[in-house]
Amino acid sequence: MNFQPLFGSYHPIAIHASAATLAIGLGGAQFVLPKGTSLHRCLGYVWVTLMASVAITGLFIHEIHMIGAFSPIHLLSLLVLVTLVWAVRAAKNGLVSRHRTAMMMLYIFGLLLAGAFTFSPGRVIHAVFTG
């Protein structure tokens, strides 16, 4: 592994990838830790902050151009931000099932699936792992 392509890249990419990596680890921990505890709530706010950071920095990354300087990833970033707000409000209103579903979808589609595409040739993460 060679981290030079990541940390030598356009600044938002390094922040984006770092926040996403932390969110993957913390999100995985959230799935196995007890729910409804103060620890779950505290780690949840950290995870939401990481996910918001991933989404916001994603808006400043323009490596793929499909519609001007934008790509479907920018729509995904906006969807993540809206879903985060929706999921937190669901938890605060006691709608645990909605909260759980939204957070699981964010983790699976917003992190794991979207993250898998970063291993495509020509992407920074691909360069990190293939040197």
Side-chain angles (χ1 to χ4, degrees), residues 22 26 30-31 34 36 39 43 46 57-58 60 62 68-69 78 87 94 96 103-104 112 115-116 118 122 126-127:
L22 291 170
L26 184 56
Q30 281 288 74
F31 284 130
L39 176 63
L43 293 177
V46 172
T57 56
F60 294 95
H62 300 282
L78 294 174
V96 177
M103 291 304 196
M104 288 175 63
L112 299 182
T118 66
H126 180 267

Side-chain angles (χ1 to χ4, degrees), residues 9-123:
S9 67
Y10 180 54
H11 192 62
I13 294 175
I15 296 169
H16 182 80
S18 298
T21 301
L22 291 170
I24 288 170
L26 184 56
Q30 281 288 74
F31 284 130
V32 298
L33 291 172
K35 310 302 179 271
T37 65
S38 58
L39 176 63
H40 176 79
R41 197 171 302 112
C42 179
L43 293 177
Y45 281 116
V46 172
W47 190 80
V48 166
T49 302
L50 287 168
M51 287 298 292
S53 299
V54 170
I56 291 167
T57 56
L59 294 171
F60 294 95
I61 298 171
H62 300 282
E63 299 224 331
I64 300 171
H65 300 95
M66 295 183 88
I67 304 166
F70 302 101
S71 73
I73 297 298
H74 295 94
L75 291 175
L76 177 62
S77 291
L78 294 174
L79 179 61
V80 165
L81 292 170
V82 169
T83 306
L84 284 171
V85 171
W86 189 79
V88 170
R89 291 178 90 189
K92 286 185 180 244
N93 291 327
L95 303 170
V96 177
S97 180
R98 285 184 187 180
H99 169 73
R100 182 184 319 111
T101 299
M103 291 304 196
M104 288 175 63
M105 294 299 108
L106 282 170
Y107 188 81
I108 293 166
F109 296 111
L111 281 174
L112 299 182
L113 185 62
F117 286 106
T118 66
F119 289 93
S120 301
R123 306 290 307 272

